[in-house]
Amino acid sequence: MMRTSIEMNEERMCVTGAGGFLASWVVKFLLSKGYAVHATVRDPNAENCAHLKNLENAAENLHLFKADLLDYNSLYVAITACRGVFHVASPVPSAPVTNPKVELFEPALNGTCNVLKACTKAKVKRVVVVSSIGAVMLNPNWPTDQRMDELSWSDEEYCKTIEDWYCLSKTEAESKAWEYAKKNGLDLVTICPSLIIGPMLQFTVNASSLFLIKILKDGINSDQRMVDVRDVARAILLSYEKPEAEGRYICSAYMAKTQGLVDKLKTMYPKYKCPKRITEAEDQPKMNCEKLQKLGWEYITLEESLADSVKCYQEKSIFDCLAGEKSF
């Protein structure tokens, strides 16, 4: 049901990094539910914001703000007058990281800190921060016979040892967010999604979609826990709208083996040239998503997510690379 204009003004939301893969869907769902949205982007006039302006109800209820995660004042301007904030913006590298401090740690840690400080000053009702399963899974001390749940945190020293800078940045950023929230009485919820797949609203290929395409194109053996982007966006909204929501939430739907993905794709789209043989990878730790499901979260099937991903890639002439017609 659409809200009245008065209710929409009272329920004004801010989404950081609004032009990105996941954040675009969060904006879309918020607008469809009648919320007014403050969307932070690097350049409101850039072409990569066009898809946001074309969303349903965007003309009336979407307001683009030029902001940078490392610029507190720009964030505060966007967050002011908002009852809820969805901090989605965070670097996800699509290539090997050469300067972890600049590429990952500064935007992840300092950016999150700036957002939370702005939320405190603006007296925001609740903040939802998107973390990652990377802040959960690299825990060598977790019992091997037990599914990982929200009590598991990636071991920072272990992340440093194996030089997994992305997981380390997500772990440190989420940990600092919880320290800040508890110290300052901020109502915080964090969502920890696995690899996100599904159709894109934006025009450019994002890191996780590119990763999926490379797996299918090159036969890279990388068994992954996956979840559809629309289901993550719904989980984010659910964690804001449900008063009983609290703490961390693992958001992952499927444990997808590369060979299984390729086999499904061959059946669905026989014209594409997929890898024939893929070496098996080591088993990945199992995840427990019961906490999020108890909140009312459901997810679509892997087949539906793959089909919608492929359709999107076809429409944007991206998926042709699997037919050998293009390469990245």
Side-chain angles (χ1 to χ4, degrees):
M1 180 182 295
M2 294 292 294
R3 291 167 171 80
T4 66
S5 58
I6 295 178
E7 289 173 329
M8 286 188 290
N9 288 332
E10 289 179 349
E11 299 207 43
R12 193 173 295 270
M13 304 296 165
C14 180
V15 180
T16 65
F21 179 40
L22 173 58
S24 293
W25 279 100
V26 175
V27 172
K28 176 180 174 66
F29 287 164
L30 286 170
L31 290 172
S32 70
K33 299 185 75 170
Y35 291 108
V37 179
H38 287 194
T40 75
V41 295
R42 292 182 180 178
D43 182 0
N45 298 315
E47 290 184 7
N48 58 11
C49 290
H51 68 287
L52 296 175
K53 298 175 183 178
N54 292 329
L55 293 174
E56 181 184 4
N57 298 326
E60 302 83 10
N61 294 329
L62 178 64
H63 308 274
L64 299 182
F65 288 78
K66 183 177 181 179
D68 187 302
L69 289 178
L70 301 182
D71 182 353
Y72 166 82
N73 290 328
S74 67
L75 292 170
Y76 177 68
V77 170
I79 290 171
T80 297
C82 291
R83 293 189 67 189
V85 171
F86 302 92
H87 179 39
V88 187
S90 186
V92 181
S94 57
V97 176
T98 58
N99 190 336
K101 180 181 178 181
V102 174
E103 296 175 50
L104 293 174
F105 291 96
E106 288 184 357
L109 275 69
N110 297 341
T112 299
C113 183
N114 283 337
V115 169
L116 297 182
K117 286 181 178 179
C119 289
T120 299
K121 184 176 180 181
K123 296 182 173 20
V124 167
K125 176 183 175 183
R126 173 172 285 179
V127 187
V128 180
V129 171
V130 177
S131 181
S132 167
I133 206 170
V136 176
M137 61 180 285
L138 295 184
N139 184 349
N141 298 316
W142 191 263
T144 56
D145 60 345
Q146 183 177 334
R147 289 190 299 167
M148 286 184 167
D149 59 25
E150 286 77 9
L151 295 177
S152 176
W153 283 84
S154 290
D155 184 281
E156 294 182 14
E157 291 304 317
Y158 179 67
C159 290
K160 293 176 184 177
T161 300
I162 63 175
E163 298 186 352
D164 194 323
W165 307 124
Y166 173 74
C167 289
L168 179 60
S169 70
K170 299 302 291 187
T171 303
E172 290 189 357
E174 188 186 353
S175 178
K176 295 296 183 184
W178 281 113
E179 288 180 15
Y180 178 91
K182 292 173 182 177
K183 182 178 179 180
N184 293 275
L186 187 65
D187 186 354
L188 173 69
V189 177
T190 60
I191 302 292
C192 301
S194 56
L195 178 69
I196 304 175
I197 63 173
M200 303 180 300
L201 294 176
Q202 82 280 11
F203 302 116
T204 56
V205 182
N206 59 291
S208 56
S209 294
L210 181 60
F211 186 68
L212 175 61
I213 290 170
K214 285 184 175 180
I215 288 176
L216 298 174
K217 177 178 181 289
D218 301 329
I220 297 174
N221 187 11
S222 183
D223 297 348
Q224 290 286 336
R225 286 163 296 277
M226 295 183 174
V227 63
D228 190 276
V229 63
R230 295 160 292 185
D231 291 329
V232 182
R234 293 186 185 104
I236 291 170
L237 268 65
L238 195 66
S239 67
Y240 174 81
E241 294 180 330
K242 289 282 189 177
E244 66 270 28
E246 54 80 28
R248 311 172 82 198
Y249 288 93
I250 292 175
C251 183
S252 183
Y254 343 97
M255 180 62 221
K257 290 187 173 293
T258 306
Q259 188 64 62
L261 290 176
V262 171
D263 291 343
K264 286 180 184 296
L265 193 65
K266 285 180 180 178
T267 300
M268 296 165 64
Y269 304 96
K271 73 173 184 178
Y272 290 119
K273 297 179 181 179
C274 299
K276 294 182 179 180
R277 299 181 63 184
I278 298 175
T279 305
E280 291 187 6
E282 296 181 3
D283 291 336
Q284 300 291 324
K286 296 180 180 179
M287 294 288 162
N288 187 340
C289 297
E290 291 179 0
K291 184 182 177 187
L292 184 57
Q293 290 172 321
K294 289 179 180 178
L295 204 62
W297 182 68
E298 298 178 344
Y299 55 86
I300 65 177
T301 65
L302 176 59
E303 289 77 10
E304 182 178 350
S305 185
L306 283 175
D308 290 345
S309 297
V310 171
K311 181 180 179 182
C312 170
Y313 300 157
Q314 289 173 328
E315 291 174 347
K316 297 178 183 293
S317 300
I318 295 170
F319 206 73
D320 291 340
C321 65
L322 292 186
E325 298 170 15
K326 294 183 180 180
S327 61
F328 288 94

